[in-house]
Amino acid sequence: MPGFELFGDLERKEVNEVLDTGVLMRYGFDAMRKDRWKAREMEAALADRMQTEHAQLVSSGTAALTIALASAGVGAGDEVIMPCFTFVASFESILALGAIPVLVDIDDTLTLDPDAVEKAITPNTKVIMPVHMCGSMADLNALRMICDKHGLLLLEDACQAIGGSYKGKPLGSIGDLGCFSFDYVKTITCGEGGAIITNNPEYKKNADHYSDHGHDHIGKDRGAETHPFLGYNFRISELNAAVGLAQLARLDEFLAIQKRNYTKIREAITDIPGVTFRRVPEGGEENYSFLSFFLEDFETAKAVQKALDESGVDGCMHWLDNNWHYIKKWEHLKNKTSLGKLPQEVIEKLPDYHQADFSASDHWMGRTLSLLIKIGWSEEELQSRAEKIRAVVQGVMA
Ligand SMILES: *Cc1c(COP(=O)(O)O)cnc(C)c1O
């Protein structure tokens, strides 16, 4: 997944162009900036690549999710349905707005189970947020139909899946809004950064203003701008955008390497009895950032992970006990613990996740291993890694 493995001349050139001007701010400073607008340029390139009308670059993927929700008017007490296997940012962004994260089960796609989603809908539900974990997607047709039937928004968290597609459309472009992260370990990186894509001009305008203190961005003089609504500072800097602009230009190069490396490792274990692979919905294509596969049970998965670790194969995730990505270890969410006091409405409406039953998800999480696919491996490293993984998995399964 990590684009940082292949920094090169293009990234350096873009960064130097920003340093030459002294303008690190994405808005204003027109006279000084020698017409260099890296954030704007990356927004145009991203919208073009994702086949959407608009893109808004912001400071992180977490910010992108928060802003996407806010830009569509989601706020206090609104319920957002999301999977229990994701990154903590999903519920952070919802709670930041005083909205309520409603966690539901995943299925063998490793993201939202449409049946579980439908059962969780209440009169307060506003949004369905599938998370394309480890590079692949939920059954987005089914989720779109549920959204249309109930008048809900579809917001795709495509932070780990840039470059993947569903029925010919880029992941992120299928929902009413889509979000990407360009943090330090993502497929393309800005260091820290994120983006929202949408075809809705109102959401774009709201996102642009909300991420810059609510500035209306109509005047030439920043000091004369007014604030139609409250906002925050979720801006990206020109330096970060410069790195991202170079990386985005190289996205297809990175994806091709990812796919080659993924395919090689998948082929190495595909015929081992007891190994099966994550289900990709019909018409979907992963971005190949991880290879996720199932073993027969929790014990086997644990044993394979341990054996891989001991043989020096890094980047193998077993999700059930993972601190960052699965509900089992999210004590802070279960205990409703923040620094200050959460709003009373949030405390009351947030489900009791100590009691909730996620056994259907435990079933999949316990059996799943995900291997991180890097793009910096040499041919020899890839070959020896594939051989080692095959030998280890076969050894444990024998
Ligand atoms: C990385 C990530 C985020 C958050 O992105 P940041 O840029 O690190 O804030 C959100 N969701 C998922 C699924 C992620 O992997």
Side-chain angles (χ1 to χ4, degrees):
M1 169 152 90
F4 70 77
E5 295 175 80
L6 297 182
F7 285 144
D9 292 343
L10 193 56
E11 284 81 355
R12 289 188 189 91
K13 173 181 155 285
E14 293 290 353
V15 170
N16 280 329
E17 283 188 12
V18 173
L19 292 175
D20 281 350
T21 68
V23 179
L24 307 187
M25 169 64 157
R26 65 155 303 175
Y27 299 110
F29 296 87
D30 297 34
M32 274 175 73
R33 65 190 312 139
K34 302 182 182 165
D35 217 21
R36 288 172 190 168
W37 301 89
K38 299 303 176 188
R40 263 195 215 169
E41 237 186 281
M42 185 172 170
E43 283 168 352
L46 186 66
D48 186 53
R49 176 66 173 75
M50 295 302 152
Q51 302 166 30
T52 54
E53 291 293 322
H54 310 285
Q56 178 71 31
L57 217 54
V58 295
S59 53
S60 72
T62 310
L65 292 168
T66 310
I67 296 161
L69 292 166
S71 73
V74 176
D78 293 337
E79 293 174 8
V80 180
I81 297 177
M82 53 164 275
C84 60
F85 172 50
T86 175
F87 179 50
V88 289
S90 306
F91 56 79
E92 288 168 356
S93 63
I94 298 164
L95 287 167
L97 297 166
I100 310 296
V102 175
L103 277 59
V104 304
D105 274 319
I106 57 156
D107 59 18
D108 58 347
T109 64
L110 302 183
T111 181
L112 286 179
D113 171 1
D115 291 336
V117 169
E118 190 125 40
K119 288 197 189 99
I121 291 172
T122 76
N124 295 322
T125 307
K126 287 279 157 61
V127 183
I128 297 176
M129 186 201 282
V131 182
H132 307 322
M133 279 299 279
C134 304
S136 186
M137 78 284 333
D139 182 340
L140 291 172
N141 253 7
L143 295 181
R144 179 83 262 175
M145 278 164 67
I146 295 171
C147 285
D148 292 346
K149 183 169 143 199
H150 296 274
L152 308 175
L153 288 169
L154 185 63
L155 165 57
E156 296 176 75
D157 177 343
C159 288
Q160 293 193 8
I162 193 166
S165 65
Y166 180 74
K167 300 195 190 287
K169 294 175 94 175
L171 290 179
S173 74
I174 295 136
D176 301 282
L177 293 138
C179 291
F180 297 110
S181 164
F182 307 123
D183 79 19
Y184 43 90
V185 291
K186 297 302 205 280
T187 300
I188 59 174
T189 183
C190 292
E192 298 281 5
I196 300 130
I197 57 173
T198 184
N199 288 318
N200 184 312
E202 195 64 21
Y203 297 166
K204 160 67 186 181
K205 184 162 72 75
N206 289 344
D208 185 46
H209 298 181
Y210 189 76
S211 58
D212 185 26
H213 305 292
H215 269 288
D216 60 19
H217 295 161
I218 49 175
K220 277 215 178 292
D221 174 9
R222 198 166 161 80
E225 290 177 352
T226 64
H227 305 90
F229 50 77
L230 293 168
Y232 297 91
N233 177 4
F234 290 126
R235 294 185 307 257
I236 192 157
S237 89
E238 285 287 276
L239 279 177
N240 295 62
V243 176
L245 186 58
Q247 291 256 300
L248 180 58
R250 303 177 63 193
L251 175 60
D252 290 319
E253 172 196 341
F254 295 172
L255 291 171
I257 301 170
Q258 246 168 217
K259 184 172 184 175
R260 179 202 62 178
N261 293 358
Y262 168 109
T263 305
K264 179 91 184 169
I265 293 174
R266 181 167 174 143
E267 281 168 0
I269 58 171
T270 195
D271 64 345
I272 300 176
V275 171
T276 53
F277 294 91
R278 168 201 204 151
R279 179 167 64 86
V280 177
E282 199 194 321
E285 178 164 19
E286 305 180 59
N287 83 339
Y288 306 103
S289 50
F290 287 83
L291 172 64
S292 297
F293 59 103
F294 303 127
L295 295 150
E296 283 158 335
D297 49 36
F298 173 82
E299 287 72 26
T300 312
K302 195 95 242 160
V304 169
Q305 188 206 27
K306 185 160 173 284
L308 284 171
D309 192 46
E310 286 167 1
S311 76
V313 174
D314 60 355
C316 175
M317 317 290 211
H318 185 206
W319 299 112
L320 193 71
D321 298 328
N322 183 283
N323 282 342
W324 287 29
H325 294 289
Y326 190 53
I327 182 147
K328 226 177 176 55
K329 291 287 181 76
W330 292 336
E331 292 303 321
H332 58 328
L333 175 67
K334 294 183 201 176
N335 294 332
K336 310 182 184 184
T337 309
S338 190
L339 274 177
K341 198 168 175 292
L342 289 171
Q344 195 56 35
E345 186 186 28
V346 171
I347 295 172
E348 282 163 19
K349 289 188 171 167
L350 197 58
D352 181 358
Y353 288 122
H354 282 297
Q355 303 300 326
D357 174 16
F358 289 105
S359 51
S361 303
D362 289 348
H363 169 79
W364 294 111
M365 290 286 89
R367 302 170 56 194
T368 306
L369 293 182
S370 295
L371 293 166
L372 176 66
I373 303 297
K374 291 201 180 177
I375 57 179
W377 294 328
S378 67
E379 284 288 343
E380 298 73 42
E381 281 172 301
L382 178 61
Q383 180 67 30
S384 81
R385 176 172 284 262
E387 284 166 13
K388 217 183 253 179
I389 291 171
R390 177 175 177 80
V392 168
V393 177
Q394 248 177 347
V396 174
M397 307 290 282

